[in-house]
PDB file of all heavy atoms in Angstrom:
ATOM      1  N   ARG A  24      54.987 158.251 307.709  1.00 97.00           N
ATOM      2  CA  ARG A  24      56.206 157.663 307.240  1.00 97.00           C
ATOM      3  C   ARG A  24      57.306 158.679 307.175  1.00 97.00           C
ATOM      4  O   ARG A  24      57.050 159.807 306.748  1.00 97.00           O
ATOM      5  CB  ARG A  24      55.993 157.050 305.844  1.00 97.00           C
ATOM      6  CG  ARG A  24      55.044 155.834 305.817  1.00 97.00           C
ATOM      7  CD  ARG A  24      54.770 155.381 304.452  1.00 97.00           C
ATOM      8  NE  ARG A  24      53.924 154.181 304.397  1.00 97.00           N
ATOM      9  CZ  ARG A  24      52.636 154.128 304.557  1.00 97.00           C
ATOM     10  NH1 ARG A  24      51.950 155.232 304.676  1.00 97.00           N
ATOM     11  NH2 ARG A  24      52.040 152.969 304.539  1.00 97.00           N
ATOM     12  N   VAL A  25      58.502 158.301 307.659  1.00 96.00           N
ATOM     13  CA  VAL A  25      59.653 159.217 307.655  1.00 96.00           C
ATOM     14  C   VAL A  25      60.781 158.566 306.897  1.00 96.00           C
ATOM     15  O   VAL A  25      61.138 157.409 307.071  1.00 96.00           O
ATOM     16  CB  VAL A  25      60.072 159.489 309.128  1.00 96.00           C
ATOM     17  CG1 VAL A  25      61.386 160.225 309.221  1.00 96.00           C
ATOM     18  CG2 VAL A  25      58.965 160.297 309.831  1.00 96.00           C
ATOM     19  N   LEU A  26      61.369 159.352 306.002  1.00 95.00           N
ATOM     20  CA  LEU A  26      62.493 158.899 305.133  1.00 95.00           C
ATOM     21  C   LEU A  26      63.806 159.215 305.787  1.00 95.00           C
ATOM     22  O   LEU A  26      64.031 160.299 306.293  1.00 95.00           O
ATOM     23  CB  LEU A  26      62.381 159.625 303.776  1.00 95.00           C
ATOM     24  CG  LEU A  26      63.506 159.290 302.776  1.00 95.00           C
ATOM     25  CD1 LEU A  26      63.207 157.917 302.152  1.00 95.00           C
ATOM     26  CD2 LEU A  26      63.576 160.377 301.700  1.00 95.00           C
ATOM     27  N   GLY A  27      64.705 158.277 305.698  1.00 94.00           N
ATOM     28  CA  GLY A  27      66.085 158.408 306.128  1.00 94.00           C
ATOM     29  C   GLY A  27      67.007 157.878 305.068  1.00 94.00           C
ATOM     30  O   GLY A  27      66.630 157.121 304.195  1.00 94.00           O
ATOM     31  N   ILE A  28      68.294 158.337 305.101  1.00 95.00           N
ATOM     32  CA  ILE A  28      69.238 157.950 304.100  1.00 95.00           C
ATOM     33  C   ILE A  28      70.422 157.228 304.720  1.00 95.00           C
ATOM     34  O   ILE A  28      71.053 157.751 305.691  1.00 95.00           O
ATOM     35  CB  ILE A  28      69.771 159.181 303.294  1.00 95.00           C
ATOM     36  CG1 ILE A  28      68.604 160.091 302.907  1.00 95.00           C
ATOM     37  CG2 ILE A  28      70.628 158.739 302.080  1.00 95.00           C
ATOM     38  CD1 ILE A  28      69.036 161.341 302.166  1.00 95.00           C
ATOM     39  N   MET A  29      70.700 155.984 304.320  1.00 97.00           N
ATOM     40  CA  MET A  29      71.737 155.203 304.934  1.00 97.00           C
ATOM     41  C   MET A  29      72.396 154.201 304.030  1.00 97.00           C
ATOM     42  O   MET A  29      71.711 153.766 303.019  1.00 97.00           O
ATOM     43  CB  MET A  29      71.270 154.566 306.219  1.00 97.00           C
ATOM     44  CG  MET A  29      70.152 153.549 306.065  1.00 97.00           C
ATOM     45  SD  MET A  29      69.718 152.785 307.652  1.00 97.00           S
ATOM     46  CE  MET A  29      69.235 154.173 308.699  1.00 97.00           C
ATOM     47  N   HIS A  30      73.576 153.748 304.396  1.00 98.00           N
ATOM     48  CA  HIS A  30      74.162 152.546 303.778  1.00 98.00           C
ATOM     49  C   HIS A  30      74.937 151.887 304.886  1.00 98.00           C
ATOM     50  O   HIS A  30      75.671 152.524 305.690  1.00 98.00           O
ATOM     51  CB  HIS A  30      75.188 152.945 302.691  1.00 98.00           C
ATOM     52  CG  HIS A  30      75.963 151.696 302.142  1.00 98.00           C
ATOM     53  ND1 HIS A  30      75.374 150.775 301.324  1.00 98.00           N
ATOM     54  CD2 HIS A  30      77.147 151.267 302.462  1.00 98.00           C
ATOM     55  CE1 HIS A  30      76.224 149.778 301.109  1.00 98.00           C
ATOM     56  NE2 HIS A  30      77.323 150.046 301.792  1.00 98.00           N
ATOM     57  N   LEU A  31      74.727 150.559 305.013  1.00 98.00           N
ATOM     58  CA  LEU A  31      75.283 149.784 306.072  1.00 98.00           C
ATOM     59  C   LEU A  31      76.305 148.744 305.577  1.00 98.00           C
ATOM     60  O   LEU A  31      76.189 148.235 304.505  1.00 98.00           O
ATOM     61  CB  LEU A  31      74.213 149.040 306.891  1.00 98.00           C
ATOM     62  CG  LEU A  31      73.047 149.895 307.424  1.00 98.00           C
ATOM     63  CD1 LEU A  31      72.090 149.022 308.199  1.00 98.00           C
ATOM     64  CD2 LEU A  31      73.504 151.035 308.238  1.00 98.00           C
ATOM     65  N   ALA A  32      77.324 148.487 306.432  1.00 98.00           N
ATOM     66  CA  ALA A  32      78.299 147.428 306.139  1.00 98.00           C
ATOM     67  C   ALA A  32      78.669 146.879 307.564  1.00 98.00           C
ATOM     68  O   ALA A  32      78.213 147.278 308.558  1.00 98.00           O
ATOM     69  CB  ALA A  32      79.456 148.033 305.424  1.00 98.00           C
ATOM     70  N   ASP A  33      79.563 145.851 307.513  1.00 98.00           N
ATOM     71  CA  ASP A  33      79.959 145.239 308.734  1.00 98.00           C
ATOM     72  C   ASP A  33      80.772 146.130 309.615  1.00 98.00           C
ATOM     73  O   ASP A  33      80.811 145.970 310.827  1.00 98.00           O
ATOM     74  CB  ASP A  33      80.737 143.928 308.440  1.00 98.00           C
ATOM     75  CG  ASP A  33      79.893 142.923 307.719  1.00 98.00           C
ATOM     76  OD1 ASP A  33      78.848 142.516 308.237  1.00 98.00           O
ATOM     77  OD2 ASP A  33      80.249 142.529 306.560  1.00 98.00           O
ATOM     78  N   THR A  34      81.500 147.104 309.020  1.00 98.00           N
ATOM     79  CA  THR A  34      82.267 148.084 309.771  1.00 98.00           C
ATOM     80  C   THR A  34      82.044 149.414 309.195  1.00 98.00           C
ATOM     81  O   THR A  34      81.623 149.581 308.024  1.00 98.00           O
ATOM     82  CB  THR A  34      83.761 147.802 309.753  1.00 98.00           C
ATOM     83  OG1 THR A  34      84.280 147.933 308.420  1.00 98.00           O
ATOM     84  CG2 THR A  34      84.082 146.371 310.250  1.00 98.00           C
ATOM     85  N   ARG A  35      82.326 150.513 309.961  1.00 98.00           N
ATOM     86  CA  ARG A  35      82.196 151.873 309.385  1.00 98.00           C
ATOM     87  C   ARG A  35      83.156 152.125 308.301  1.00 98.00           C
ATOM     88  O   ARG A  35      82.791 152.758 307.275  1.00 98.00           O
ATOM     89  CB  ARG A  35      82.440 152.887 310.537  1.00 98.00           C
ATOM     90  CG  ARG A  35      81.309 152.945 311.557  1.00 98.00           C
ATOM     91  CD  ARG A  35      81.582 153.986 312.627  1.00 98.00           C
ATOM     92  NE  ARG A  35      80.536 153.970 313.680  1.00 98.00           N
ATOM     93  CZ  ARG A  35      80.601 154.745 314.726  1.00 98.00           C
ATOM     94  NH1 ARG A  35      81.651 155.528 314.953  1.00 98.00           N
ATOM     95  NH2 ARG A  35      79.632 154.688 315.625  1.00 98.00           N
ATOM     96  N   ASP A  36      84.342 151.633 308.426  1.00 98.00           N
ATOM     97  CA  ASP A  36      85.375 151.818 307.386  1.00 98.00           C
ATOM     98  C   ASP A  36      84.871 151.194 306.069  1.00 98.00           C
ATOM     99  O   ASP A  36      85.053 151.741 304.950  1.00 98.00           O
ATOM    100  CB  ASP A  36      86.706 151.201 307.780  1.00 98.00           C
ATOM    101  CG  ASP A  36      87.489 152.093 308.727  1.00 98.00           C
ATOM    102  OD1 ASP A  36      87.133 153.282 308.870  1.00 98.00           O
ATOM    103  OD2 ASP A  36      88.427 151.616 309.350  1.00 98.00           O
ATOM    104  N   GLN A  37      84.301 149.938 306.186  1.00 98.00           N
ATOM    105  CA  GLN A  37      83.789 149.321 304.969  1.00 98.00           C
ATOM    106  C   GLN A  37      82.673 150.092 304.349  1.00 98.00           C
ATOM    107  O   GLN A  37      82.559 150.164 303.112  1.00 98.00           O
ATOM    108  CB  GLN A  37      83.387 147.858 305.302  1.00 98.00           C
ATOM    109  CG  GLN A  37      82.973 147.073 304.058  1.00 98.00           C
ATOM    110  CD  GLN A  37      84.050 146.951 303.006  1.00 98.00           C
ATOM    111  OE1 GLN A  37      85.141 146.469 303.350  1.00 98.00           O
ATOM    112  NE2 GLN A  37      83.790 147.341 301.785  1.00 98.00           N
ATOM    113  N   ALA A  38      81.785 150.628 305.179  1.00 98.00           N
ATOM    114  CA  ALA A  38      80.624 151.368 304.677  1.00 98.00           C
ATOM    115  C   ALA A  38      81.170 152.597 303.919  1.00 98.00           C
ATOM    116  O   ALA A  38      80.580 152.925 302.862  1.00 98.00           O
ATOM    117  CB  ALA A  38      79.741 151.777 305.819  1.00 98.00           C
ATOM    118  N   ILE A  39      82.171 153.274 304.399  1.00 98.00           N
ATOM    119  CA  ILE A  39      82.729 154.441 303.736  1.00 98.00           C
ATOM    120  C   ILE A  39      83.340 153.996 302.368  1.00 98.00           C
ATOM    121  O   ILE A  39      83.118 154.645 301.359  1.00 98.00           O
ATOM    122  CB  ILE A  39      83.728 155.179 304.620  1.00 98.00           C
ATOM    123  CG1 ILE A  39      83.027 155.866 305.771  1.00 98.00           C
ATOM    124  CG2 ILE A  39      84.546 156.190 303.831  1.00 98.00           C
ATOM    125  CD1 ILE A  39      83.940 156.428 306.821  1.00 98.00           C
ATOM    126  N   ASP A  40      84.101 152.937 302.434  1.00 98.00           N
ATOM    127  CA  ASP A  40      84.708 152.418 301.160  1.00 98.00           C
ATOM    128  C   ASP A  40      83.646 152.083 300.158  1.00 98.00           C
ATOM    129  O   ASP A  40      83.752 152.402 298.954  1.00 98.00           O
ATOM    130  CB  ASP A  40      85.563 151.186 301.491  1.00 98.00           C
ATOM    131  CG  ASP A  40      86.882 151.497 302.218  1.00 98.00           C
ATOM    132  OD1 ASP A  40      87.269 152.704 302.129  1.00 98.00           O
ATOM    133  OD2 ASP A  40      87.460 150.604 302.816  1.00 98.00           O
ATOM    134  N   ASP A  41      82.566 151.472 300.579  1.00 98.00           N
ATOM    135  CA  ASP A  41      81.490 151.070 299.698  1.00 98.00           C
ATOM    136  C   ASP A  41      80.917 152.288 298.934  1.00 98.00           C
ATOM    137  O   ASP A  41      80.626 152.243 297.795  1.00 98.00           O
ATOM    138  CB  ASP A  41      80.324 150.412 300.444  1.00 98.00           C
ATOM    139  CG  ASP A  41      80.619 149.044 300.977  1.00 98.00           C
ATOM    140  OD1 ASP A  41      81.638 148.434 300.496  1.00 98.00           O
ATOM    141  OD2 ASP A  41      79.826 148.502 301.790  1.00 98.00           O
ATOM    142  N   CYS A  42      80.751 153.383 299.665  1.00 98.00           N
ATOM    143  CA  CYS A  42      80.099 154.523 299.108  1.00 98.00           C
ATOM    144  C   CYS A  42      80.947 155.417 298.177  1.00 98.00           C
ATOM    145  O   CYS A  42      80.439 156.330 297.537  1.00 98.00           O
ATOM    146  CB  CYS A  42      79.532 155.427 300.222  1.00 98.00           C
ATOM    147  SG  CYS A  42      78.172 154.664 301.131  1.00 98.00           S
ATOM    148  N   THR A  43      82.202 155.059 298.097  1.00 97.00           N
ATOM    149  CA  THR A  43      83.103 155.757 297.077  1.00 97.00           C
ATOM    150  C   THR A  43      82.587 155.324 295.657  1.00 97.00           C
ATOM    151  O   THR A  43      82.990 156.033 294.670  1.00 97.00           O
ATOM    152  CB  THR A  43      84.564 155.376 297.254  1.00 97.00           C
ATOM    153  OG1 THR A  43      84.713 153.950 297.110  1.00 97.00           O
ATOM    154  CG2 THR A  43      85.054 155.767 298.622  1.00 97.00           C
ATOM    155  N   TYR A  44      81.785 154.308 295.560  1.00 97.00           N
ATOM    156  CA  TYR A  44      81.285 153.849 294.269  1.00 97.00           C
ATOM    157  C   TYR A  44      80.412 154.884 293.644  1.00 97.00           C
ATOM    158  O   TYR A  44      80.469 155.108 292.426  1.00 97.00           O
ATOM    159  CB  TYR A  44      80.518 152.540 294.508  1.00 97.00           C
ATOM    160  CG  TYR A  44      79.808 151.999 293.245  1.00 97.00           C
ATOM    161  CD1 TYR A  44      80.489 151.200 292.314  1.00 97.00           C
ATOM    162  CD2 TYR A  44      78.464 152.267 293.034  1.00 97.00           C
ATOM    163  CE1 TYR A  44      79.817 150.673 291.242  1.00 97.00           C
ATOM    164  CE2 TYR A  44      77.779 151.796 291.979  1.00 97.00           C
ATOM    165  CZ  TYR A  44      78.490 150.988 291.029  1.00 97.00           C
ATOM    166  OH  TYR A  44      77.853 150.483 289.943  1.00 97.00           O
ATOM    167  N   GLY A  45      79.494 155.485 294.383  1.00 96.00           N
ATOM    168  CA  GLY A  45      78.490 156.375 293.697  1.00 96.00           C
ATOM    169  C   GLY A  45      77.989 157.552 294.466  1.00 96.00           C
ATOM    170  O   GLY A  45      77.185 158.286 293.943  1.00 96.00           O
ATOM    171  N   LEU A  46      78.454 157.775 295.697  1.00 94.00           N
ATOM    172  CA  LEU A  46      77.932 158.902 296.507  1.00 94.00           C
ATOM    173  C   LEU A  46      78.258 160.250 295.861  1.00 94.00           C
ATOM    174  O   LEU A  46      77.409 161.162 295.857  1.00 94.00           O
ATOM    175  CB  LEU A  46      78.469 158.814 297.983  1.00 94.00           C
ATOM    176  CG  LEU A  46      78.082 160.022 298.873  1.00 94.00           C
ATOM    177  CD1 LEU A  46      76.546 160.226 298.889  1.00 94.00           C
ATOM    178  CD2 LEU A  46      78.595 159.790 300.283  1.00 94.00           C
ATOM    179  N   GLN A  47      79.482 160.413 295.400  1.00 92.00           N
ATOM    180  CA  GLN A  47      79.843 161.682 294.816  1.00 92.00           C
ATOM    181  C   GLN A  47      78.988 162.050 293.601  1.00 92.00           C
ATOM    182  O   GLN A  47      78.617 163.184 293.429  1.00 92.00           O
ATOM    183  CB  GLN A  47      81.324 161.703 294.443  1.00 92.00           C
ATOM    184  CG  GLN A  47      81.802 163.125 294.038  1.00 92.00           C
ATOM    185  CD  GLN A  47      83.352 163.236 294.141  1.00 92.00           C
ATOM    186  OE1 GLN A  47      83.994 162.453 294.784  1.00 92.00           O
ATOM    187  NE2 GLN A  47      83.892 164.300 293.548  1.00 92.00           N
ATOM    188  N   ASP A  48      78.672 161.033 292.797  1.00 92.00           N
ATOM    189  CA  ASP A  48      77.779 161.285 291.644  1.00 92.00           C
ATOM    190  C   ASP A  48      76.381 161.662 292.086  1.00 92.00           C
ATOM    191  O   ASP A  48      75.775 162.565 291.503  1.00 92.00           O
ATOM    192  CB  ASP A  48      77.733 160.028 290.744  1.00 92.00           C
ATOM    193  CG  ASP A  48      77.101 160.263 289.435  1.00 92.00           C
ATOM    194  OD1 ASP A  48      75.884 160.240 289.344  1.00 92.00           O
ATOM    195  OD2 ASP A  48      77.891 160.449 288.432  1.00 92.00           O
ATOM    196  N   PHE A  49      75.911 161.040 293.128  1.00 91.00           N
ATOM    197  CA  PHE A  49      74.596 161.405 293.740  1.00 91.00           C
ATOM    198  C   PHE A  49      74.585 162.837 294.172  1.00 91.00           C
ATOM    199  O   PHE A  49      73.641 163.600 293.833  1.00 91.00           O
ATOM    200  CB  PHE A  49      74.354 160.426 294.880  1.00 91.00           C
ATOM    201  CG  PHE A  49      73.102 160.722 295.697  1.00 91.00           C
ATOM    202  CD1 PHE A  49      71.901 160.151 295.404  1.00 91.00           C
ATOM    203  CD2 PHE A  49      73.163 161.564 296.816  1.00 91.00           C
ATOM    204  CE1 PHE A  49      70.764 160.396 296.151  1.00 91.00           C
ATOM    205  CE2 PHE A  49      72.055 161.770 297.606  1.00 91.00           C
ATOM    206  CZ  PHE A  49      70.809 161.188 297.252  1.00 91.00           C
ATOM    207  N   ALA A  50      75.647 163.261 294.883  1.00 89.00           N
ATOM    208  CA  ALA A  50      75.731 164.660 295.329  1.00 89.00           C
ATOM    209  C   ALA A  50      75.845 165.616 294.116  1.00 89.00           C
ATOM    210  O   ALA A  50      75.305 166.707 294.181  1.00 89.00           O
ATOM    211  CB  ALA A  50      76.948 164.810 296.290  1.00 89.00           C
ATOM    212  N   ASP A  51      76.627 165.236 293.131  1.00 87.00           N
ATOM    213  CA  ASP A  51      76.731 166.082 291.941  1.00 87.00           C
ATOM    214  C   ASP A  51      75.410 166.292 291.266  1.00 87.00           C
ATOM    215  O   ASP A  51      75.109 167.412 290.770  1.00 87.00           O
ATOM    216  CB  ASP A  51      77.748 165.476 290.942  1.00 87.00           C
ATOM    217  CG  ASP A  51      79.164 165.529 291.482  1.00 87.00           C
ATOM    218  OD1 ASP A  51      79.440 166.289 292.402  1.00 87.00           O
ATOM    219  OD2 ASP A  51      80.037 164.771 290.887  1.00 87.00           O
ATOM    220  N   TYR A  52      74.574 165.242 291.214  1.00 85.00           N
ATOM    221  CA  TYR A  52      73.216 165.363 290.592  1.00 85.00           C
ATOM    222  C   TYR A  52      72.400 166.398 291.317  1.00 85.00           C
ATOM    223  O   TYR A  52      71.832 167.262 290.666  1.00 85.00           O
ATOM    224  CB  TYR A  52      72.570 163.996 290.621  1.00 85.00           C
ATOM    225  CG  TYR A  52      71.057 164.081 290.268  1.00 85.00           C
ATOM    226  CD1 TYR A  52      70.699 164.372 288.933  1.00 85.00           C
ATOM    227  CD2 TYR A  52      70.088 163.777 291.154  1.00 85.00           C
ATOM    228  CE1 TYR A  52      69.354 164.405 288.573  1.00 85.00           C
ATOM    229  CE2 TYR A  52      68.743 163.835 290.813  1.00 85.00           C
ATOM    230  CZ  TYR A  52      68.391 164.162 289.530  1.00 85.00           C
ATOM    231  OH  TYR A  52      67.068 164.196 289.168  1.00 85.00           O
ATOM    232  N   PHE A  53      72.374 166.389 292.636  1.00 76.00           N
ATOM    233  CA  PHE A  53      71.552 167.249 293.351  1.00 76.00           C
ATOM    234  C   PHE A  53      72.219 168.670 293.355  1.00 76.00           C
ATOM    235  O   PHE A  53      71.509 169.670 293.390  1.00 76.00           O
ATOM    236  CB  PHE A  53      71.317 166.801 294.820  1.00 76.00           C
ATOM    237  CG  PHE A  53      70.293 165.711 294.880  1.00 76.00           C
ATOM    238  CD1 PHE A  53      70.689 164.400 295.037  1.00 76.00           C
ATOM    239  CD2 PHE A  53      68.943 166.021 294.766  1.00 76.00           C
ATOM    240  CE1 PHE A  53      69.731 163.406 295.099  1.00 76.00           C
ATOM    241  CE2 PHE A  53      68.014 165.004 294.818  1.00 76.00           C
ATOM    242  CZ  PHE A  53      68.377 163.716 295.004  1.00 76.00           C
ATOM    243  N   GLY A  54      73.503 168.727 293.335  1.00 66.00           N
ATOM    244  CA  GLY A  54      74.188 169.997 293.264  1.00 66.00           C
ATOM    245  C   GLY A  54      73.905 170.721 291.961  1.00 66.00           C
ATOM    246  O   GLY A  54      73.751 171.940 291.901  1.00 66.00           O
ATOM    247  N   ALA A  55      73.820 169.947 290.846  1.00 56.00           N
ATOM    248  CA  ALA A  55      73.588 170.533 289.556  1.00 56.00           C
ATOM    249  C   ALA A  55      72.108 170.871 289.319  1.00 56.00           C
ATOM    250  O   ALA A  55      71.769 171.913 288.828  1.00 56.00           O
ATOM    251  CB  ALA A  55      74.090 169.616 288.473  1.00 56.00           C
ATOM    252  N   ALA A  56      71.273 169.922 289.769  1.00 53.00           N
ATOM    253  CA  ALA A  56      69.829 170.080 289.469  1.00 53.00           C
ATOM    254  C   ALA A  56      69.112 170.890 290.550  1.00 53.00           C
ATOM    255  O   ALA A  56      68.241 171.729 290.278  1.00 53.00           O
ATOM    256  CB  ALA A  56      69.175 168.678 289.339  1.00 53.00           C
ATOM    257  N   GLY A  57      69.565 170.661 291.797  1.00 46.00           N
ATOM    258  CA  GLY A  57      68.951 171.394 292.942  1.00 46.00           C
ATOM    259  C   GLY A  57      67.420 171.230 293.026  1.00 46.00           C
ATOM    260  O   GLY A  57      66.717 172.176 293.449  1.00 46.00           O
ATOM    261  N   PHE A  58      66.933 170.045 292.761  1.00 52.00           N
ATOM    262  CA  PHE A  58      65.508 169.873 292.705  1.00 52.00           C
ATOM    263  C   PHE A  58      64.926 169.711 294.086  1.00 52.00           C
ATOM    264  O   PHE A  58      63.954 170.307 294.465  1.00 52.00           O
ATOM    265  CB  PHE A  58      65.120 168.693 291.782  1.00 52.00           C
ATOM    266  CG  PHE A  58      65.472 168.896 290.407  1.00 52.00           C
ATOM    267  CD1 PHE A  58      66.073 167.854 289.649  1.00 52.00           C
ATOM    268  CD2 PHE A  58      65.225 170.057 289.686  1.00 52.00           C
ATOM    269  CE1 PHE A  58      66.395 168.046 288.304  1.00 52.00           C
ATOM    270  CE2 PHE A  58      65.539 170.284 288.417  1.00 52.00           C
ATOM    271  CZ  PHE A  58      66.125 169.258 287.682  1.00 52.00           C
ATOM    272  N   VAL A  59      65.404 168.679 294.834  1.00 52.00           N
ATOM    273  CA  VAL A  59      64.822 168.384 296.141  1.00 52.00           C
ATOM    274  C   VAL A  59      66.017 168.229 297.174  1.00 52.00           C
ATOM    275  O   VAL A  59      67.095 167.848 296.789  1.00 52.00           O
ATOM    276  CB  VAL A  59      64.044 167.070 296.155  1.00 52.00           C
ATOM    277  CG1 VAL A  59      62.778 167.325 295.372  1.00 52.00           C
ATOM    278  CG2 VAL A  59      64.830 165.929 295.482  1.00 52.00           C
ATOM    279  N   PRO A  60      65.790 168.627 298.451  1.00 49.00           N
ATOM    280  CA  PRO A  60      66.851 168.626 299.420  1.00 49.00           C
ATOM    281  C   PRO A  60      67.143 167.283 300.053  1.00 49.00           C
ATOM    282  O   PRO A  60      66.820 167.021 301.201  1.00 49.00           O
ATOM    283  CB  PRO A  60      66.342 169.616 300.433  1.00 49.00           C
ATOM    284  CG  PRO A  60      64.808 169.441 300.381  1.00 49.00           C
ATOM    285  CD  PRO A  60      64.512 169.112 298.938  1.00 49.00           C
ATOM    286  N   LEU A  61      67.751 166.390 299.286  1.00 53.00           N
ATOM    287  CA  LEU A  61      68.059 165.061 299.802  1.00 53.00           C
ATOM    288  C   LEU A  61      69.583 164.813 299.861  1.00 53.00           C
ATOM    289  O   LEU A  61      70.045 163.706 300.092  1.00 53.00           O
ATOM    290  CB  LEU A  61      67.435 163.971 298.955  1.00 53.00           C
ATOM    291  CG  LEU A  61      65.925 163.877 299.002  1.00 53.00           C
ATOM    292  CD1 LEU A  61      65.415 162.838 298.050  1.00 53.00           C
ATOM    293  CD2 LEU A  61      65.496 163.516 300.436  1.00 53.00           C
ATOM    294  N   SER A  62      70.376 165.875 299.618  1.00 55.00           N
ATOM    295  CA  SER A  62      71.818 165.681 299.580  1.00 55.00           C
ATOM    296  C   SER A  62      72.524 166.713 300.427  1.00 55.00           C
ATOM    297  O   SER A  62      72.154 167.887 300.386  1.00 55.00           O
ATOM    298  CB  SER A  62      72.282 165.757 298.148  1.00 55.00           C
ATOM    299  OG  SER A  62      73.720 165.698 298.033  1.00 55.00           O
ATOM    300  N   ASN A  63      73.629 166.337 301.078  1.00 60.00           N
ATOM    301  CA  ASN A  63      74.527 167.259 301.762  1.00 60.00           C
ATOM    302  C   ASN A  63      75.386 167.975 300.717  1.00 60.00           C
ATOM    303  O   ASN A  63      75.491 167.525 299.574  1.00 60.00           O
ATOM    304  CB  ASN A  63      75.406 166.551 302.777  1.00 60.00           C
ATOM    305  CG  ASN A  63      74.636 165.992 303.963  1.00 60.00           C
ATOM    306  OD1 ASN A  63      73.565 166.511 304.253  1.00 60.00           O
ATOM    307  ND2 ASN A  63      75.219 165.005 304.632  1.00 60.00           N
ATOM    308  N   SER A  64      75.962 169.066 301.162  1.00 60.00           N
ATOM    309  CA  SER A  64      76.880 169.853 300.249  1.00 60.00           C
ATOM    310  C   SER A  64      78.288 169.698 300.798  1.00 60.00           C
ATOM    311  O   SER A  64      78.514 170.013 301.970  1.00 60.00           O
ATOM    312  CB  SER A  64      76.404 171.282 300.206  1.00 60.00           C
ATOM    313  OG  SER A  64      77.373 172.043 299.450  1.00 60.00           O
ATOM    314  N   VAL A  65      79.210 169.169 299.966  1.00 63.00           N
ATOM    315  CA  VAL A  65      80.625 168.975 300.402  1.00 63.00           C
ATOM    316  C   VAL A  65      81.537 169.578 299.354  1.00 63.00           C
ATOM    317  O   VAL A  65      81.340 169.379 298.152  1.00 63.00           O
ATOM    318  CB  VAL A  65      80.912 167.476 300.558  1.00 63.00           C
ATOM    319  CG1 VAL A  65      82.370 167.268 300.891  1.00 63.00           C
ATOM    320  CG2 VAL A  65      80.013 166.870 301.650  1.00 63.00           C
ATOM    321  N   ASP A  66      82.486 170.328 299.822  1.00 63.00           N
ATOM    322  CA  ASP A  66      83.550 170.909 298.889  1.00 63.00           C
ATOM    323  C   ASP A  66      84.382 169.763 298.343  1.00 63.00           C
ATOM    324  O   ASP A  66      85.055 169.066 299.163  1.00 63.00           O
ATOM    325  CB  ASP A  66      84.336 171.894 299.631  1.00 63.00           C
ATOM    326  CG  ASP A  66      85.393 172.578 298.748  1.00 63.00           C
ATOM    327  OD1 ASP A  66      85.350 172.330 297.541  1.00 63.00           O
ATOM    328  OD2 ASP A  66      86.228 173.299 299.282  1.00 63.00           O
ATOM    329  N   GLU A  67      84.365 169.573 297.072  1.00 58.00           N
ATOM    330  CA  GLU A  67      85.106 168.417 296.516  1.00 58.00           C
ATOM    331  C   GLU A  67      86.611 168.737 296.236  1.00 58.00           C
ATOM    332  O   GLU A  67      87.369 167.868 295.887  1.00 58.00           O
ATOM    333  CB  GLU A  67      84.490 168.048 295.195  1.00 58.00           C
ATOM    334  CG  GLU A  67      82.999 167.650 295.325  1.00 58.00           C
ATOM    335  CD  GLU A  67      82.403 167.310 293.989  1.00 58.00           C
ATOM    336  OE1 GLU A  67      83.188 166.847 293.047  1.00 58.00           O
ATOM    337  OE2 GLU A  67      81.193 167.454 293.776  1.00 58.00           O
ATOM    338  N   ALA A  68      87.031 169.963 296.425  1.00 60.00           N
ATOM    339  CA  ALA A  68      88.356 170.363 296.034  1.00 60.00           C
ATOM    340  C   ALA A  68      89.456 169.539 296.838  1.00 60.00           C
ATOM    341  O   ALA A  68      89.383 169.489 298.063  1.00 60.00           O
ATOM    342  CB  ALA A  68      88.570 171.889 296.309  1.00 60.00           C
TER     343      ALA A  68
END
C-alpha cells in the first residue's frame, strides 16, 4: 500500500481555494511538531 496526499475539485482554481480552509494549519502542525514527514515546507512571509 502506498500513501498519497491530495484534494480534488472540479477545477484547479477551486481546489486551491478549498485548501485555504486548513492547509496552512496542517503545515504549521508538522512544522512545529516535526514528527513525521508528511508536509511540505513553505515560507509563509
Side-chain angles (χ1 to χ4, degrees):
R24 292 173 175 84
V25 170
L26 179 76
I28 312 177
M29 61 176 58
H30 173 78
L31 305 183
D33 297 301
T34 66
R35 289 181 184 175
D36 282 344
Q37 184 60 57
I39 290 173
D40 287 341
D41 288 348
C42 291
T43 60
Y44 174 85
L46 175 54
Q47 188 160 344
D48 193 278
F49 175 89
D51 289 345
Y52 169 68
F53 284 103
F58 294 137
V59 288
L61 291 175
S62 174
N63 292 337
S64 177
V65 176
D66 182 7
E67 300 178 27

